[in-house]
Amino acid sequence: MKNPLATTPGIIAVGAVIGLLAVWLQHLGNPANMGICVACFERDVAGGLGLHRAAIVQYLRPEIMGLVLGALAAAVFSREFRPRGGSAPLVRFVLGMVAAMGALVFLGCPWRAILRLAGGDGNAILGIAGLAVGIWIGTLFFRRGYSLGRSSGQSVVAGALFPAIIVCLLLLYLVFPQISGEPQSGPIFYSVKGPGSQHAPFIASLGLAFVIGFIAQRSRFCTMGAFRDLFLFRYAHLFLGLAAMFVAAFVANAATGGLKFGFEGQPVAHNDLLWNFLGMVTAGLAFALAGGCPGRQLFMAGEGDSDAGLFALGMLVGAAMAHNLGTASSGAGIGVYGAQATIIGFLVCLIIGFVHSGNRA
């Protein structure tokens, strides 16, 4: 039976739903222009687990759990749960680290770049341009025969391991909830101010993200894939879904008073145009070489792809390192070592790209 969400009208509908639900989550309590941001939310999860010491970004975001569990449910429902892995797993882990550190120089994953633009943040133009350039560089490697090798079938336990980790995070959240605004509950850390303290109610966060995970898995929604297909094949199917996400979020913001046009004073953003651009160049190249944007990696991990799970764990570690090593940006500007991290990450991606290209010069 044909999957209606995989058609062009289906991907447009999925993009629109994601945009609307993201704005809804913002109105329910998530930070402005951050209804869904995989990089930011994985950073918060890392903080909640105590992997970094930035007190303003510590919270076990239920959205991350919902995205994975929704994709898992969709994969099981459609009989697409296929445990697989073994395609350069450590390389993918490193690409995840680089991607997170580059994204946190910009302050957002590709989805947040779209949501920032839909909220009127002009700085997102540079981020999206950088993302496109990074993915375009990735397509140059694709033309040279770039590949991390084939994955192979694995056991059900291997395929279920990443979703099991997500379930454990969910249990930690439920067993050790925040109490009376305290910064710590048992082993879990909670922000009492800053972006980490701003969140929608648990049920809404988990439930709406579950819906997004379900429909995104069925439609193969992917920001990186949208640009890749446009550059390589002039194929706009996925890009139309991305455009629909922007339009829906923009209209929702306009209808609810969420638009604020300009570059200055935007929520959880800085206006260093050069590093907004270059941070996402590095992140975009890492996404391309890994085969998917942060959201798509979570959905594939929910399908049983342990390599995608390792990329996601790499992003978790990279986000923690970004704050511990002073490379992450803030509203005041890029981190002390943000420029160095961006350049080093880009060089790491270039090395990976050349080494794994079949037609090396």
Side-chain angles (χ1 to χ4, degrees), residues 319-330:
M321 289 177 62
H323 281 279
N324 287 336
L325 299 180
T327 72
S329 298
S330 68

Side-chain angles (χ1 to χ4, degrees), residues 325-345:
L325 299 180
T327 72
S329 298
S330 68
I334 68 169
V336 177
Y337 302 110
Q340 294 90 329
T342 300
I343 294 170
I344 292 170

Side-chain angles (χ1 to χ4, degrees), residues 40-51:
C40 300
F41 288 1
E42 287 184 338
R43 170 205 62 199
D44 292 354
V45 170
L49 295 173
L51 300 181

Side-chain angles (χ1 to χ4, degrees), residues 33-353:
N33 297 344
M34 200 189 292
I36 289 284
C37 175
V38 176
C40 300
F41 288 1
E42 287 184 338
R43 170 205 62 199
D44 292 354
V45 170
L49 295 173
L51 300 181
H52 68 66
R53 298 178 296 275
I56 61 171
V57 282
Q58 296 177 319
Y59 180 61
L60 294 185
R61 292 278 179 183
E63 289 87 351
I64 296 295
M65 308 165 203
L67 292 175
V68 176
L69 296 179
L72 172 64
V76 171
F77 171 79
S78 60
R79 298 183 180 179
E80 293 180 348
F81 182 78
R82 293 190 293 272
R84 58 197 185 273
S87 171
L90 188 55
V91 172
R92 294 179 186 275
F93 183 86
V94 170
L95 286 172
M97 292 173 58
V98 170
M101 296 179 83
L104 290 178
V105 169
F106 166 69
L107 286 177
C109 72
W111 286 17
R112 184 167 191 245
I114 297 298
L115 293 175
R116 284 174 59 174
L117 186 63
D121 184 352
N123 302 291
I125 298 172
L126 277 299
I128 294 171
L131 175 69
V133 168
I135 296 170
W136 176 77
I137 295 171
T139 65
L140 299 181
F141 287 114
F142 299 158
R143 294 181 189 277
R144 292 167 55 89
Y146 170 84
S147 174
L148 290 179
R150 288 180 175 272
S151 61
S152 58
Q154 295 188 332
S155 68
V156 173
V157 171
L161 198 54
F162 187 82
I165 292 172
I166 294 299
V167 170
C168 289
L169 290 178
L170 180 60
L171 292 175
L172 281 172
Y173 183 101
L174 295 174
V175 174
F176 300 104
Q178 187 174 17
I179 300 173
S180 303
E182 291 296 321
Q184 190 169 4
S185 175
I188 305 304
F189 295 85
Y190 290 90
S191 296
V192 294
K193 61 180 180 179
S197 67
Q198 301 167 14
H199 47 81
F202 168 77
I203 293 297
S205 296
L206 183 67
L208 295 181
F210 185 95
V211 171
I212 292 173
F214 192 99
I215 62 176
Q217 190 280 331
R218 298 294 292 133
S219 65
R220 306 297 189 268
F221 189 89
C222 178
T223 310
M224 188 286 296
F227 284 101
R228 177 203 60 204
D229 290 355
L230 199 62
F231 294 149
L232 278 178
F233 312 117
R234 303 294 188 266
Y235 184 49
H237 170 76
L238 289 175
F239 196 84
L240 290 174
L242 195 62
M245 176 183 172
F246 165 75
V247 171
F250 181 86
V251 171
N253 280 322
T256 57
L259 288 178
K260 178 186 177 183
F261 293 104
F263 290 83
E264 300 281 348
Q266 293 290 343
V268 197
H270 63 83
N271 61 350
D272 189 322
L273 302 185
L274 176 63
W275 294 105
N276 276 327
F277 175 78
L278 292 179
M280 286 301 269
V281 169
T282 294
L285 179 53
F287 299 145
L289 296 179
C293 67
R296 180 66 184 145
Q297 297 286 349
L298 290 179
F299 308 143
M300 289 192 296
E303 297 171 2
D305 189 331
S306 59
D307 292 333
L310 276 171
F311 180 90
L313 291 176
M315 285 196 66
L316 190 77
V317 172
M321 289 177 62
H323 281 279
N324 287 336
L325 299 180
T327 72
S329 298
S330 68
I334 68 169
V336 177
Y337 302 110
Q340 294 90 329
T342 300
I343 294 170
I344 292 170
F346 183 73
L347 293 176
V348 168
C349 287
L350 288 182
I351 292 170
I352 291 173

